Amino acid sequence: MSLPPQVRRTPRPFPVTLHTVVAIAVPMTLAYLSTPLIGITDVAVIGQLGDAALIGAVALGALLFDFFGATFNFLRSGTTGLVAQAMGAEDREAEAMVLWRALIVAALAGALMVALQTPILEGFLALMGASDAVSAATRDYYTVRVYAMPLMFANYAILGWLLGLGRARAGLVLQLIMALVNVAGSMGLVMGLGYGMGGVAAASVLAEAATLAAGGVLVARALGRRPRPALADVMERAAFLRMMTVNRDILIRSMVLLGTFSFFTAMGARYGDVILAANALLMNFFLIGGYFLDGLATASEQLAGRAVGANYRPAFDRAVRFSLVTGGALAGGLSLLALLFGDHLIYALTTAPDVRAAALVYIGWAALTPVSGVLAFIMDGVYIGATWSAMMRNMMLLSALAFFAVWAVAAPLMGNHGLWLALLVFLGARGVTLLAATPPRARATFGPTPLGAA
């Protein structure tokens, strides 16, 4: 989707340099790198209690909340693109209205998750087939942390709004507040006061509440300098439909992505527990690379969206070019580090000799995931910022088909090597298809590029 012609008619130039990209990417990379600290701390704190069932419950509970986080992350990414476009169009009232609409959706979604907590949890536990001890501990965890979901969704909307305005440092501050409160709360409530699973969950609620309070202060200060939109304008049907259409496409894209990775894990399990464990360890190479590349994706998201709102093709082209060059260099460096020192990470993650040996057999595939996936990260950001969500959804579906086609042929011939090959093809196909579709989408959005344009 692009802005209406009457908004696109007059270009509003603004500069985009390598420094512009880095100024957004670096703070957000640091912010995303703080995310795994929360999960590591929760496991480490509960691990001190010496009960395997509690550790399993933390893992199961985190898996469920990660699923909801990925599902509703469109409240972050969709908001960023729409706000960036409003910023590019210099429409301060529209910037505010996007936030209010996102917060309304966040409140409704959060309330729904709380209301449906019992059937969601019981269905999940039945699907996982966990033991009675793990299921009981998971209930203790979930029934407390579920009240963080409305707060979490609102934080997604506020973070997306701030990033849409290019305020990456503010986003970093909010993520650091969340990580620090969660870590301190988990240690204090569990190790200090002995609250066990409920303490870990309560720490998450406190972290989301503290982050929402800090974000609310930042938003209040920013909105104080903007026109106050009327409720009727906020609830305008066409604008809400546009936001929900973008969010729907991002949601479908996310579900296909999750489904493909889940299939990868399930197929690895068919090769036995050792291969399953080795693949799980090796996926950390992709996850670590993703945390670094997500910062660049955020930069391309904000700058592409702003360029579309400003109807300024040179800024769009420079944002894409600088993001791709920086991302390519970063991904190449990450892959090289993985090839040179990846064995040290494997040895640090497990002491099992058979799992270590299996992981070393397939480490070359895992080391290539940053290079294979860099285009997908950057172009996802471009398409979300430009709100070309339908094309992004379609290319995700096409890439998933490529994954299954390669897996069907390669896995019977190559075993787990074939499974990894299919994953690299999937990652690469996402980026290549989106990059190939960018020129016609840009022409449709901005019009023909004049000869000699920057």
Side-chain angles (χ1 to χ4, degrees), residues 2-133:
S2 57
L3 291 175
Q6 64 267 27
V7 177
R8 294 190 281 116
R9 192 167 294 136
T10 305
R12 294 176 171 84
F14 66 96
V16 174
T17 65
L18 181 60
H19 179 268
T20 311
V21 173
V22 172
I24 299 174
V26 170
M28 289 317 301
T29 296
L30 295 174
Y32 293 135
L33 285 171
S34 71
T35 301
L37 177 64
I38 297 174
I40 293 170
T41 301
D42 287 350
V43 173
V45 168
I46 287 297
Q48 301 305 307
L49 302 180
D51 189 334
L54 297 183
I55 298 174
V58 169
L60 280 186
L63 176 64
L64 184 55
F65 282 98
D66 286 346
F67 172 79
F68 285 126
T71 300
F72 288 93
N73 190 53
F74 62 76
L75 287 166
R76 202 287 299 164
S77 53
T79 301
T80 298
L82 293 171
V83 172
Q85 291 186 18
M87 180 185 181
E90 299 179 5
D91 189 339
R92 300 293 178 257
E93 189 174 17
E95 291 173 6
M97 286 192 289
V98 172
L99 173 63
W100 292 121
R101 291 177 191 128
L103 288 173
I104 290 171
V105 174
L108 293 174
L112 183 64
M113 293 298 101
V114 172
L116 297 177
Q117 61 177 286
T118 299
I120 289 173
L121 176 60
E122 296 307 319
F124 174 73
L125 291 175
L127 182 65
M128 292 294 102
S131 67
D132 291 342

Side-chain angles (χ1 to χ4, degrees), residues 419-439:
L419 183 61
W420 276 100
L421 174 62
L423 181 65
L424 293 187
V425 168
F426 170 66
L427 296 174
R430 286 178 55 209
V432 169
T433 54
L434 289 173
L435 183 62
T438 297

